[in-house]
Amino acid sequence: MSNDVIKTINEGDVLFVKGEAINQLYLIRSGEIGLFWEKEKHLVPYKRVSAKEFIGEEELFSHKAWPWTAIVLSGEVQYVPFTKKEVQAALKECPDWVSSLLKVLCERFADTADIIQEHNIIDEYSDQLFEIDEKHENFYKRKVLKKKKKKGA
């Protein structure tokens, strides 16, 4: 793959916003990104993504838009983006059943995320949960608005 390029973003930077087309899978190398639902003009924390985790695997085979917004929580985040085409090319090197299995699993994860959002289900013991105060929420909302204006959303 051509994509061993490590990119860096900083606290408050927005990786993507809800509604943008999903065209990449992200491997987080270091730092923490928060995924947020956008509900009634609020950013509602969904989960925290840390080093060695991916963002976008659930939606990899879909033609959906991002269901949440991704924001750097603190410090610096290093990540490697992979386009859908790069992932699909790598999967072509695997037996067909591996690609089929991955597709089914990703679709199931995406369906589960939809149910979690729809029914506001939260696992209070999850280590991925986090909270933000009003000051940080307002800071993040300004960054999200700026990103949306830049993208023309």
Side-chain angles (χ1 to χ4, degrees):
M1 286 190 183
S2 65
N3 222 339
D4 284 328
V5 177
I6 298 173
K7 297 190 175 192
T8 302
I9 53 178
N10 297 298
E11 182 174 359
D13 286 349
V14 179
L15 186 58
F16 55 80
V17 296
K18 176 184 176 179
E20 283 185 18
I22 299 171
N23 54 19
Q24 293 188 338
L25 171 71
Y26 300 96
L27 169 61
I28 306 306
R29 299 280 306 246
S30 66
E32 291 185 332
I33 289 185
L35 301 181
F36 295 85
W37 302 118
E38 292 185 39
K39 291 186 177 180
E40 300 173 9
K41 299 185 180 185
H42 288 282
L43 292 174
V44 179
Y46 166 54
K47 73 177 182 178
R48 178 189 355 239
V49 182
S50 303
K52 299 182 182 177
E53 293 183 286
F54 286 93
I55 300 175
E57 71 279 6
E58 296 103 341
E59 291 80 11
L60 189 60
F61 294 98
S62 75
H63 299 288
K64 296 180 180 180
W66 289 112
W68 5 257
T69 294
I71 304 170
V72 177
L73 294 176
S74 63
E76 177 181 277
V77 166
Q78 292 186 331
Y79 68 95
V80 179
F82 297 94
T83 66
K84 280 187 173 184
K85 287 182 181 182
E86 288 174 313
V87 174
Q88 290 166 349
L91 289 173
K92 285 183 182 178
E93 301 297 318
C94 298
D96 287 344
W97 69 267
V98 172
S99 183
S100 296
L101 176 63
L102 185 57
K103 182 176 181 179
V104 167
L105 291 174
C106 287
E107 289 170 350
R108 287 181 183 170
F109 286 140
D111 290 344
T112 301
D114 290 345
I115 291 168
I116 288 170
Q117 179 184 19
E118 181 180 337
H119 297 286
N120 200 25
I121 300 168
I122 297 174
D123 177 2
E124 62 190 51
Y125 301 104
S126 172
D127 62 349
Q128 296 178 326
L129 287 180
F130 64 100
E131 294 180 3
I132 56 170
D133 57 27
E134 186 177 347
K135 177 182 170 186
H136 280 92
E137 181 183 10
N138 290 332
F139 172 67
Y140 295 153
K141 286 193 313 190
R142 286 191 301 273
K143 293 283 200 161
V144 168
L145 184 60
K146 185 176 178 181
K147 173 98 173 186
K148 286 181 177 181
K149 285 183 179 179
K150 186 176 179 182
K151 292 277 186 183

